[in-house]
Amino acid sequence: MPKKKSFFDSANAYEPLYSKTPPDIIEKSATIKSKSKFDKTLDLEEIPTIVAVEELEKTKISLSNSDTAQEKVSDDIEEGYQIVLDGFEDSTEEISKIDEELAEKQLQERRKDKVNKFRLFSPDDIDASSKDTVIKDEYHNEDKKGNFISRLEGARKSEKTVIIITAVLTVLLGLLTIFKDSSYLPSVLLDSVPYMVTVLAVYFAVILFNCRTFVHGLKFKGGINSDFPIIVSATVVFIHTVLLLADGDLMIDDGTPYPFAIAFAFLISGVGKYTMLTRIITNFNFLVNRKEMYSVETIINQVDAAIISRGLLTGETNLKTSIKTDEPTKFLDIAGSSDPADFIAKTIGSVMLVMSLALFGIFTFVHKSWHIGLNIAVCAMCISVPCIAGYNVNSVLLGLSKQLSRSGAMINGFEGASIVDDTNAIVIEAQDLFGPRSCEIHGIKTFNGAKADDVILKTAAVIINTKSPLASVFDDVIIGKQTILPEVDGIVYEDKMGTSAWIYRKKILVGTREMLIRHGVKVPREEYEQRYTRKGRKILYLAVTGKLMAMFVVSYNADPQLKKSLKRLEKSGMTILVKSADPFINDESIAELFSLPEGYVRVMNSSNGRAFEKYSDMHVEKSPAYVVHNGSALGFVSAMSAAENLQETRKILSVLISFGCAIGFGVVALLGAVGGYAQLSAVSVVAFQAVWCIFVEIVSKIKRLGI
């Protein structure tokens, strides 16, 4: 397969640059079918819709059983003002009929198979920390997709059952704690021994139904996890409750049972696990329901990164771009990695356990009574256990997943968000910044006897080949049938002016008046242009063999949602590098259209863009599922903005939850020192944990809504 010729070249290139023999003429037929939807401006012609003659032939065949129907088709063609162009004549020779769409599909499949086997770098190079993880092909085929979803749904259903049972038992322990020694309880429970036996029995049921939390908390393969402080506290409270039953003096020395506090810890931890499973299912459904997926990867080739950012960024570069992929990998491994709840348990949770033990020694020594020391230490341990971390962390992630899915993007947990670390720029195509509704052709004016459909097809061929933001508009004009376009070769982009190319042995220029003047083509006076350039509209010229053939009045508009996403991303300090072959897309125009500060978006020159081409068209079979989107600029930008925000939210969560643990511990220590420890009960501990959980949830939600 011949090497693809880059359409980027030096701005100083001159026409003789194209020295190879121009391509042979390929004859194709087209006809004007209907008027365009675009508004007419002054004396401009409206843009027609052009349909391949072969499409009309299909209509003829479908109506061949009726002579009247055949006559009707002929009349329709005449009413459609059929025009035969130079190079598009109908051939009089009989040729064999082939299904072009089927042949093209087969060719694309063969090419795709070759492309998927080639990759410039390994997905494992993206994050060295993932080398020890096991790659799971959770969605390699439809059967595995269904099985994986079934397992996740089964786990969530099981967790929901545990939550419901734990909630009932927690409420029961709460009632026993609140109405202790009151007439609201059965008379048999007014006695200390039956009461403590009942509390102990209900608490044991809580532990039994949450045995998986104990199993998980004792797994130290990945270090201390979020369940470890909970199971340590649960064990200590169980022992303390048994001692309260066995030793009456412990109750006399301000002893109080704390099973209600630990039951609440199990409950909120279970809700956190349920939220995590819901988040994973939501993200997985996003992946499997997408026909096209793009993953965010780092341009790790430092030579390419340096060339792409040369003159646009300073210092060491860390560039991110979108890569089309067939199968995002390591989904489950990434989803469960870098959990802040585990980090909090490993740090502040472990510290609080040690400090509670120290508190036991201090107050035992001060009061000369291990009873008082144990009661204070158990209370401090219960109030400072970071049981809310799992829920608060996964609540943020779930809310973010639902929010991003509306923009066509997904961040796979905090590990997925870590991809933005040290990123100073993202690289994107200008075509992606302007969707189908962001550009418009307001009309066309022909010169030197040019035919409307002739100039439209030539211009469309160049525009679509160069990935201009106007490509989607011209594609609409030909109803997406790009096979009717003439072959284009020798494409050369001249910075901020336009594109030159060869079509049917003729030199084509598509660009600004400055470009045509540079090539010696006469253009209308600027005063003449001003009649059509109101409201920010631009004039795009077409010249053929040194003669002006047409001018198109075009305009560019910013998508409101993308505009908001870009403004949010701008706060992160990341720069956007744009590859553009459109003369009207530059730093100033993008900044103005999207209301962004100058310097935030930088448009590449020819050499920058040439280095980025291989990444722009890259299609790989597998790519790590850190950040995945639907290929749109909105999805890409929203994901990067959200990932940056999520990294900041992670720090806030860690600080707030740790601060809450420290406050609770400090209050217990202070009351123990002044002799007011008796004011604290299990109800006070639960109230503090619940209020602090709500506070952290509100703060994190406010931060997330800033995305």
Side-chain angles (χ1 to χ4, degrees):
M1 184 181 293
K3 185 178 180 180
K4 179 182 175 183
K5 181 176 176 64
S6 172
F7 60 81
F8 283 99
D9 217 308
S10 172
N12 298 320
Y14 194 63
E15 289 191 31
L17 175 68
Y18 185 78
S19 58
K20 60 185 281 190
T21 303
D24 294 332
I25 296 176
I26 300 176
E27 298 182 355
K28 301 177 183 178
S29 300
T31 182
I32 297 176
K33 180 181 179 183
S34 64
K35 296 295 182 181
S36 167
K37 61 184 178 181
F38 301 115
D39 295 333
K40 188 174 181 180
T41 303
L42 297 177
D43 58 338
L44 296 175
E45 300 177 43
E46 294 183 31
I47 304 295
T49 300
I50 302 176
V51 182
V53 169
E54 62 189 41
E55 295 295 324
L56 295 178
E57 288 294 333
K58 292 179 182 178
T59 307
K60 289 182 183 181
I61 293 172
S62 66
L63 299 174
S64 60
N65 294 330
S66 170
D67 293 339
T68 304
Q70 290 179 359
E71 292 175 2
K72 184 178 184 300
V73 172
S74 299
D75 293 341
D76 288 343
I77 294 176
E78 290 179 3
E79 291 176 2
Y81 304 105
Q82 181 176 356
I83 302 175
V84 179
L85 310 175
D86 180 25
F88 283 74
E89 294 88 0
D90 290 330
S91 174
T92 57
E93 296 180 3
E94 291 187 2
I95 58 175
S96 59
K97 298 289 185 179
I98 63 172
D99 190 333
E100 290 188 8
E101 293 184 355
L102 177 60
E104 182 178 356
K105 182 178 179 180
Q106 292 173 343
L107 177 61
Q108 291 296 332
E109 288 296 328
R110 289 195 297 271
R111 288 177 176 174
K112 180 179 177 181
D113 184 62
K114 291 181 180 180
V115 169
N116 284 341
K117 294 178 181 179
F118 172 75
R119 185 181 175 91
L120 294 178
F121 50 86
S122 167
D124 291 332
D125 292 335
I126 302 302
D127 185 2
S129 64
S130 299
K131 289 182 178 179
D132 295 332
T133 60
V134 179
I135 300 177
K136 301 177 177 63
D137 52 347
E138 299 97 350
Y139 38 91
H140 186 68
N141 55 49
E142 291 299 325
D143 290 338
K144 288 188 177 181
K145 289 177 185 177
N147 292 337
F148 185 67
I149 282 291
S150 297
R151 282 188 280 120
L152 286 176
E153 290 288 0
R156 184 168 66 167
K157 184 177 180 180
S158 176
E159 193 63 47
K160 183 178 180 180
T161 302
V162 172
I163 290 173
I164 293 173
I165 295 174
T166 303
V168 172
L169 295 175
T170 301
V171 170
L172 182 57
L173 283 172
L175 293 175
L176 288 171
T177 303
I178 293 172
F179 298 115
K180 182 178 181 298
D181 298 328
S182 72
S183 59
Y184 291 101
L185 292 179
S187 58
V188 68
L189 296 180
L190 295 178
D191 187 54
S192 177
V193 173
Y195 175 82
M196 292 304 302
V197 170
T198 303
V199 169
L200 198 60
V202 177
Y203 180 51
F204 181 77
V206 171
I207 293 176
L208 189 63
F209 280 106
N210 288 273
C211 59
R212 285 183 301 184
T213 300
F214 274 82
V215 173
H216 179 250
L218 293 174
K219 289 182 178 179
F220 299 110
K221 184 177 180 180
I224 293 176
N225 58 57
S226 58
D227 284 334
F228 178 73
I230 296 176
I231 65 170
V232 171
S233 300
T235 303
V236 171
V237 167
F238 184 82
I239 296 172
H240 179 255
T241 307
V242 171
L243 290 175
L244 286 174
L245 176 62
D247 188 350
D249 292 337
L250 192 63
M251 183 72 75
I252 294 173
D253 291 329
D254 296 330
T256 182
Y258 290 101
F260 176 43
I262 298 302
F264 177 79
F266 278 120
L267 178 62
I268 198 68
S269 175
V271 174
K273 293 183 180 69
Y274 181 86
T275 307
M276 178 189 69
L277 289 168
T278 303
R279 182 254 302 180
I280 292 175
I281 292 172
T282 300
N283 287 344
F284 187 78
N285 284 329
F286 175 88
L287 290 183
V288 299
N289 292 326
R290 297 287 160 182
K291 293 181 179 179
E292 289 190 351
M293 289 179 287
Y294 292 75
S295 66
V296 176
E297 292 193 7
T298 305
I299 299 179
I300 61 175
N301 186 317
Q302 288 302 310
V303 175
D304 288 341
I307 296 174
I308 292 171
S309 61
R310 185 167 53 199
L312 304 175
L313 298 175
T314 58
E316 187 174 346
T317 58
N318 185 344
L319 307 182
K320 295 293 188 295
T321 190
S322 293
I323 304 294
K324 188 175 183 180
T325 182
D326 294 329
E327 182 183 340
T329 60
K330 300 183 181 179
F331 170 76
L332 201 56
D333 292 329
I334 296 172
S337 300
S338 299
D339 191 342
D342 292 339
F343 175 78
I344 293 170
K346 187 182 299 184
T347 53
I348 193 67
S350 299
V351 170
M352 290 297 105
L353 290 176
V354 173
M355 290 184 66
S356 297
L357 182 61
L359 211 61
F360 168 70
I362 292 172
F363 282 103
T364 297
F365 176 77
V366 170
H367 293 281
K368 308 298 182 181
S369 171
W370 68 270
H371 292 157
I372 296 176
L374 180 61
N375 287 331
I376 295 176
V378 171
C379 182
M381 185 177 294
C382 291
I383 202 170
S384 64
V385 64
C387 59
I388 65 174
Y391 169 73
N392 287 135
V393 164
N394 284 285
S395 177
V396 168
L397 291 174
L398 178 59
L400 181 70
S401 296
K402 293 179 178 179
Q403 184 177 342
L404 277 180
S405 64
R406 294 192 290 269
S407 299
M410 180 214 77
I411 296 178
N412 198 6
F414 283 95
E415 178 68 15
S418 67
I419 197 172
V420 304
D421 288 346
D422 302 322
T423 299
N424 51 9
I426 65 173
V427 195
I428 196 169
E429 288 272 5
Q431 183 182 23
D432 297 329
L433 284 177
F434 297 89
R437 299 180 181 179
S438 298
C439 300
E440 188 173 0
I441 305 176
H442 298 278
I444 179 177
K445 190 169 186 63
T446 57
F447 303 93
N448 295 315
K451 298 176 182 178
D453 50 353
D454 185 16
V455 298
I456 289 172
L457 290 172
K458 285 184 171 65
T459 307
V462 175
I463 291 295
I464 291 174
N465 269 278
T466 57
K467 297 183 179 180
S468 165
L470 295 170
S472 59
V473 185
F474 278 96
D475 193 58
D476 286 342
V477 173
I478 60 174
I479 319 182
K481 194 69 176 179
Q482 296 184 15
T483 54
I484 70 173
L485 296 177
E487 184 179 349
V488 184
D489 206 351
I491 300 177
V492 177
Y493 172 63
E494 301 181 19
D495 289 338
K496 298 183 179 181
M497 291 193 293
T499 306
S500 64
W502 286 83
I503 297 179
Y504 300 131
R505 304 178 187 271
K506 297 176 181 179
K507 192 61 177 282
I508 307 295
L509 302 175
V510 178
T512 62
R513 65 181 288 112
E514 289 77 13
M515 180 181 186
L516 269 61
I517 291 173
R518 179 177 174 275
H519 286 267
V521 180
K522 294 182 179 179
V523 295
R525 299 186 306 274
E526 291 187 12
E527 292 79 6
Y528 179 81
E529 283 188 0
Q530 291 174 0
R531 300 170 56 192
Y532 306 99
T533 55
R534 58 188 177 85
K535 296 182 180 180
R537 295 173 181 177
K538 310 292 183 182
I539 301 295
L540 183 71
Y541 286 106
L542 169 71
V544 181
T545 61
K547 290 184 179 181
L548 178 63
M549 290 297 175
M551 75 173 194
F552 297 84
V553 179
V554 300
S555 65
Y556 304 80
N557 298 288
D559 177 79
Q561 284 185 288
L562 180 57
K563 191 174 183 179
K564 292 179 181 178
S565 295
L566 286 171
K567 286 183 177 179
R568 295 189 188 107
L569 185 62
E570 185 266 332
K571 297 176 183 178
S572 70
M574 276 186 274
T575 303
I576 297 181
L577 305 183
V578 180
K579 190 192 84 169
S580 173
D582 188 295
F584 302 116
I585 301 302
N586 50 54
D587 297 1
E588 295 76 17
S589 63
I590 294 179
E592 181 180 356
L593 285 169
F594 289 95
S595 301
L596 299 170
E598 291 188 12
Y600 168 53
V601 179
R602 306 298 302 276
V603 177
M604 305 180 205
N605 58 27
S606 300
S607 60
N608 299 132
R610 189 162 54 245
F612 178 64
E613 276 186 347
K614 61 184 175 184
Y615 298 97
S616 176
D617 297 326
M618 186 177 292
H619 182 184
V620 299
E621 184 178 2
K622 296 182 178 181
S623 179
Y626 290 105
V627 177
V628 180
H629 63 95
N630 58 4
S632 68
L634 177 61
F636 185 20
V637 173
S638 297
M640 294 301 291
S641 174
E644 180 70 22
N645 188 290
L646 195 57
Q647 288 292 79
E648 296 178 5
T649 304
R650 175 179 187 157
K651 298 175 184 177
I652 293 174
L653 285 170
S654 297
V655 170
L656 289 179
I657 295 173
S658 300
F659 187 58
C661 294
I663 289 177
F665 181 87
V667 169
V668 173
L670 179 62
L671 290 177
V674 299
Y677 160 72
Q679 300 176 29
L680 293 177
S681 65
V683 176
S684 303
V685 171
V686 171
F688 175 81
Q689 291 277 21
V691 170
W692 197 258
C693 180
I694 294 171
F695 171 71
V696 174
E697 178 75 5
I698 292 174
V699 173
S700 60
K701 186 173 183 178
I702 292 173
K703 178 63 177 175
R704 177 175 60 80
L705 291 177
I707 298 173

mmCIF file of all heavy atoms in Angstrom, residues 422-449:
data_model
loop_
_atom_site.group_PDB
_atom_site.id
_atom_site.type_symbol
_atom_site.label_atom_id
_atom_site.label_comp_id
_atom_site.label_asym_id
_atom_site.label_seq_id
_atom_site.Cartn_x
_atom_site.Cartn_y
_atom_site.Cartn_z
ATOM 1 N N ASP A 422 -0.123 15.792 35.488
ATOM 2 C CA ASP A 422 0.971 16.457 34.775
ATOM 3 C C ASP A 422 0.664 16.733 33.304
ATOM 4 O O ASP A 422 1.567 17.074 32.531
ATOM 5 C CB ASP A 422 2.268 15.634 34.860
ATOM 6 C CG ASP A 422 2.696 15.398 36.301
ATOM 7 O OD1 ASP A 422 2.527 16.322 37.110
ATOM 8 O OD2 ASP A 422 3.182 14.295 36.609
ATOM 9 N N THR A 423 -0.601 16.576 32.886
ATOM 10 C CA THR A 423 -0.953 16.894 31.499
ATOM 11 C C THR A 423 -0.970 18.401 31.312
ATOM 12 O O THR A 423 -1.618 19.117 32.075
ATOM 13 C CB THR A 423 -2.347 16.316 31.142
ATOM 14 O OG1 THR A 423 -2.315 14.907 31.269
ATOM 15 C CG2 THR A 423 -2.734 16.687 29.722
ATOM 16 N N ASN A 424 -0.245 18.878 30.299
ATOM 17 C CA ASN A 424 -0.275 20.322 30.057
ATOM 18 C C ASN A 424 -0.981 20.692 28.768
ATOM 19 O O ASN A 424 -1.150 21.875 28.476
ATOM 20 C CB ASN A 424 1.144 20.909 30.064
ATOM 21 C CG ASN A 424 2.088 20.144 29.161
ATOM 22 O OD1 ASN A 424 1.675 19.278 28.393
ATOM 23 N ND2 ASN A 424 3.369 20.455 29.253
ATOM 24 N N ALA A 425 -1.412 19.703 27.970
ATOM 25 C CA ALA A 425 -2.145 20.028 26.745
ATOM 26 C C ALA A 425 -2.868 18.804 26.216
ATOM 27 O O ALA A 425 -2.428 17.666 26.404
ATOM 28 C CB ALA A 425 -1.200 20.571 25.680
ATOM 29 N N ILE A 426 -4.007 19.038 25.560
ATOM 30 C CA ILE A 426 -4.680 17.991 24.797
ATOM 31 C C ILE A 426 -4.632 18.397 23.332
ATOM 32 O O ILE A 426 -4.622 19.583 23.004
ATOM 33 C CB ILE A 426 -6.137 17.778 25.263
ATOM 34 C CG1 ILE A 426 -6.991 19.014 24.989
ATOM 35 C CG2 ILE A 426 -6.180 17.417 26.729
ATOM 36 C CD1 ILE A 426 -8.473 18.794 25.269
ATOM 37 N N VAL A 427 -4.582 17.400 22.460
ATOM 38 C CA VAL A 427 -4.448 17.656 21.030
ATOM 39 C C VAL A 427 -5.710 17.167 20.335
ATOM 40 O O VAL A 427 -6.178 16.050 20.588
ATOM 41 C CB VAL A 427 -3.214 16.950 20.442
ATOM 42 C CG1 VAL A 427 -2.879 17.515 19.065
ATOM 43 C CG2 VAL A 427 -2.020 17.096 21.377
ATOM 44 N N ILE A 428 -6.257 17.989 19.442
ATOM 45 C CA ILE A 428 -7.556 17.692 18.849
ATOM 46 C C ILE A 428 -7.628 18.232 17.426
ATOM 47 O O ILE A 428 -6.897 19.161 17.059
ATOM 48 C CB ILE A 428 -8.681 18.305 19.734
ATOM 49 C CG1 ILE A 428 -10.036 17.711 19.404
ATOM 50 C CG2 ILE A 428 -8.710 19.818 19.611
ATOM 51 C CD1 ILE A 428 -11.115 18.087 20.413
ATOM 52 N N GLU A 429 -8.502 17.654 16.617
ATOM 53 C CA GLU A 429 -8.745 18.125 15.250
ATOM 54 C C GLU A 429 -9.721 19.300 15.287
ATOM 55 O O GLU A 429 -10.688 19.289 16.048
ATOM 56 C CB GLU A 429 -9.354 17.003 14.404
ATOM 57 C CG GLU A 429 -8.401 15.891 14.034
ATOM 58 C CD GLU A 429 -7.645 16.196 12.748
ATOM 59 O OE1 GLU A 429 -7.806 17.297 12.208
ATOM 60 O OE2 GLU A 429 -6.882 15.320 12.304
ATOM 61 N N ALA A 430 -9.482 20.280 14.417
ATOM 62 C CA ALA A 430 -10.403 21.421 14.333
ATOM 63 C C ALA A 430 -11.791 20.964 13.913
ATOM 64 O O ALA A 430 -12.805 21.522 14.355
ATOM 65 C CB ALA A 430 -9.864 22.447 13.337
ATOM 66 N N GLN A 431 -11.858 19.934 13.077
ATOM 67 C CA GLN A 431 -13.140 19.415 12.623
ATOM 68 C C GLN A 431 -13.999 18.954 13.796
ATOM 69 O O GLN A 431 -15.226 19.075 13.769
ATOM 70 C CB GLN A 431 -12.912 18.253 11.652
ATOM 71 C CG GLN A 431 -14.188 17.670 11.061
ATOM 72 C CD GLN A 431 -13.904 16.498 10.152
ATOM 73 O OE1 GLN A 431 -12.868 15.853 10.263
ATOM 74 N NE2 GLN A 431 -14.813 16.217 9.237
ATOM 75 N N ASP A 432 -13.345 18.436 14.853
ATOM 76 C CA ASP A 432 -14.086 17.950 16.007
ATOM 77 C C ASP A 432 -14.637 19.083 16.865
ATOM 78 O O ASP A 432 -15.616 18.896 17.593
ATOM 79 C CB ASP A 432 -13.188 17.054 16.860
ATOM 80 C CG ASP A 432 -12.748 15.805 16.111
ATOM 81 O OD1 ASP A 432 -13.519 15.336 15.258
ATOM 82 O OD2 ASP A 432 -11.633 15.314 16.365
ATOM 83 N N LEU A 433 -13.997 20.236 16.809
ATOM 84 C CA LEU A 433 -14.480 21.381 17.588
ATOM 85 C C LEU A 433 -15.781 21.948 17.034
ATOM 86 O O LEU A 433 -16.536 22.607 17.751
ATOM 87 C CB LEU A 433 -13.428 22.492 17.623
ATOM 88 C CG LEU A 433 -12.228 22.289 18.559
ATOM 89 C CD1 LEU A 433 -11.259 23.446 18.401
ATOM 90 C CD2 LEU A 433 -12.667 22.158 20.006
ATOM 91 N N PHE A 434 -16.020 21.705 15.745
ATOM 92 C CA PHE A 434 -17.207 22.258 15.093
ATOM 93 C C PHE A 434 -18.052 21.111 14.553
ATOM 94 O O PHE A 434 -17.694 20.473 13.566
ATOM 95 C CB PHE A 434 -16.810 23.200 13.962
ATOM 96 C CG PHE A 434 -16.035 24.397 14.419
ATOM 97 C CD1 PHE A 434 -14.656 24.357 14.513
ATOM 98 C CD2 PHE A 434 -16.684 25.569 14.786
ATOM 99 C CE1 PHE A 434 -13.929 25.446 14.950
ATOM 100 C CE2 PHE A 434 -15.963 26.666 15.225
ATOM 101 C CZ PHE A 434 -14.588 26.614 15.309
ATOM 102 N N GLY A 435 -19.160 20.843 15.215
ATOM 103 C CA GLY A 435 -20.029 19.754 14.791
ATOM 104 C C GLY A 435 -20.835 20.114 13.565
ATOM 105 O O GLY A 435 -20.717 21.214 13.001
ATOM 106 N N PRO A 436 -21.709 19.199 13.124
ATOM 107 C CA PRO A 436 -22.515 19.422 11.918
ATOM 108 C C PRO A 436 -23.367 20.680 11.968
ATOM 109 O O PRO A 436 -23.659 21.272 10.937
ATOM 110 C CB PRO A 436 -23.393 18.162 11.857
ATOM 111 C CG PRO A 436 -22.638 17.126 12.618
ATOM 112 C CD PRO A 436 -21.927 17.870 13.706
ATOM 113 N N ARG A 437 -23.756 21.098 13.153
ATOM 114 C CA ARG A 437 -24.622 22.273 13.274
ATOM 115 C C ARG A 437 -23.848 23.551 13.594
ATOM 116 O O ARG A 437 -24.445 24.596 13.812
ATOM 117 C CB ARG A 437 -25.659 22.034 14.368
ATOM 118 C CG ARG A 437 -26.586 20.841 14.087
ATOM 119 C CD ARG A 437 -27.596 20.647 15.201
ATOM 120 N NE ARG A 437 -28.464 19.507 14.970
ATOM 121 C CZ ARG A 437 -29.420 19.101 15.801
ATOM 122 N NH1 ARG A 437 -29.610 19.759 16.943
ATOM 123 N NH2 ARG A 437 -30.166 18.051 15.512
ATOM 124 N N SER A 438 -22.534 23.431 13.640
ATOM 125 C CA SER A 438 -21.723 24.589 14.017
ATOM 126 C C SER A 438 -21.230 25.389 12.820
ATOM 127 O O SER A 438 -20.704 26.482 13.006
ATOM 128 C CB SER A 438 -20.517 24.128 14.850
ATOM 129 O OG SER A 438 -20.943 23.521 16.047
ATOM 130 N N CYS A 439 -21.366 24.857 11.629
ATOM 131 C CA CYS A 439 -20.920 25.559 10.426
ATOM 132 C C CYS A 439 -22.081 25.651 9.438
ATOM 133 O O CYS A 439 -22.984 24.812 9.436
ATOM 134 C CB CYS A 439 -19.738 24.838 9.775
ATOM 135 S SG CYS A 439 -18.307 24.693 10.852
ATOM 136 N N GLU A 440 -22.029 26.650 8.575
ATOM 137 C CA GLU A 440 -23.122 26.861 7.635
ATOM 138 C C GLU A 440 -22.608 27.512 6.358
ATOM 139 O O GLU A 440 -21.686 28.330 6.399
ATOM 140 C CB GLU A 440 -24.197 27.735 8.280
ATOM 141 C CG GLU A 440 -25.463 27.856 7.462
ATOM 142 C CD GLU A 440 -26.570 28.592 8.206
ATOM 143 O OE1 GLU A 440 -26.335 29.000 9.362
ATOM 144 O OE2 GLU A 440 -27.652 28.756 7.626
ATOM 145 N N ILE A 441 -23.188 27.107 5.241
ATOM 146 C CA ILE A 441 -22.926 27.763 3.957
ATOM 147 C C ILE A 441 -24.161 28.587 3.621
ATOM 148 O O ILE A 441 -25.255 28.038 3.457
ATOM 149 C CB ILE A 441 -22.658 26.745 2.837
ATOM 150 C CG1 ILE A 441 -21.523 25.803 3.230
ATOM 151 C CG2 ILE A 441 -22.317 27.468 1.536
ATOM 152 C CD1 ILE A 441 -21.268 24.710 2.215
ATOM 153 N N HIS A 442 -23.991 29.889 3.513
ATOM 154 C CA HIS A 442 -25.140 30.771 3.295
ATOM 155 C C HIS A 442 -25.458 30.970 1.825
ATOM 156 O O HIS A 442 -26.530 31.494 1.494
ATOM 157 C CB HIS A 442 -24.875 32.128 3.951
ATOM 158 C CG HIS A 442 -24.691 32.033 5.430
ATOM 159 N ND1 HIS A 442 -25.728 31.974 6.315
ATOM 160 C CD2 HIS A 442 -23.553 31.936 6.185
ATOM 161 C CE1 HIS A 442 -25.269 31.877 7.553
ATOM 162 N NE2 HIS A 442 -23.949 31.845 7.500
ATOM 163 N N GLY A 443 -24.546 30.574 0.962
ATOM 164 C CA GLY A 443 -24.803 30.710 -0.466
ATOM 165 C C GLY A 443 -23.523 30.631 -1.266
ATOM 166 O O GLY A 443 -22.421 30.557 -0.720
ATOM 167 N N ILE A 444 -23.685 30.641 -2.573
ATOM 168 C CA ILE A 444 -22.558 30.521 -3.491
ATOM 169 C C ILE A 444 -22.735 31.510 -4.641
ATOM 170 O O ILE A 444 -23.860 31.800 -5.052
ATOM 171 C CB ILE A 444 -22.461 29.074 -4.032
ATOM 172 C CG1 ILE A 444 -21.296 28.943 -5.005
ATOM 173 C CG2 ILE A 444 -23.745 28.646 -4.702
ATOM 174 C CD1 ILE A 444 -21.099 27.537 -5.524
ATOM 175 N N LYS A 445 -21.628 32.017 -5.136
ATOM 176 C CA LYS A 445 -21.661 32.872 -6.318
ATOM 177 C C LYS A 445 -20.585 32.363 -7.271
ATOM 178 O O LYS A 445 -19.430 32.183 -6.883
ATOM 179 C CB LYS A 445 -21.403 34.330 -5.968
ATOM 180 C CG LYS A 445 -21.664 35.285 -7.135
ATOM 181 C CD LYS A 445 -21.644 36.716 -6.661
ATOM 182 C CE LYS A 445 -22.044 37.674 -7.793
ATOM 183 N NZ LYS A 445 -23.432 37.433 -8.242
ATOM 184 N N THR A 446 -20.988 32.084 -8.503
ATOM 185 C CA THR A 446 -20.060 31.536 -9.493
ATOM 186 C C THR A 446 -19.532 32.649 -10.397
ATOM 187 O O THR A 446 -20.163 33.696 -10.577
ATOM 188 C CB THR A 446 -20.747 30.462 -10.339
ATOM 189 O OG1 THR A 446 -21.920 31.027 -10.976
ATOM 190 C CG2 THR A 446 -21.173 29.283 -9.477
ATOM 191 N N PHE A 447 -18.351 32.384 -10.981
ATOM 192 C CA PHE A 447 -17.697 33.328 -11.882
ATOM 193 C C PHE A 447 -17.197 32.590 -13.121
ATOM 194 O O PHE A 447 -17.037 31.363 -13.117
ATOM 195 C CB PHE A 447 -16.511 34.006 -11.180
ATOM 196 C CG PHE A 447 -16.864 34.728 -9.913
ATOM 197 C CD1 PHE A 447 -16.783 34.102 -8.677
ATOM 198 C CD2 PHE A 447 -17.300 36.047 -9.950
ATOM 199 C CE1 PHE A 447 -17.108 34.756 -7.512
ATOM 200 C CE2 PHE A 447 -17.631 36.719 -8.777
ATOM 201 C CZ PHE A 447 -17.533 36.069 -7.553
ATOM 202 N N ASN A 448 -16.951 33.352 -14.170
ATOM 203 C CA ASN A 448 -16.346 32.833 -15.400
ATOM 204 C C ASN A 448 -17.090 31.632 -15.962
ATOM 205 O O ASN A 448 -16.487 30.671 -16.458
ATOM 206 C CB ASN A 448 -14.878 32.458 -15.158
ATOM 207 C CG ASN A 448 -14.029 33.672 -14.823
ATOM 208 O OD1 ASN A 448 -14.136 34.719 -15.478
ATOM 209 N ND2 ASN A 448 -13.186 33.549 -13.798
ATOM 210 N N GLY A 449 -18.433 31.678 -15.890
ATOM 211 C CA GLY A 449 -19.256 30.643 -16.502
ATOM 212 C C GLY A 449 -19.232 29.308 -15.799
ATOM 213 O O GLY A 449 -19.629 28.287 -16.376
#
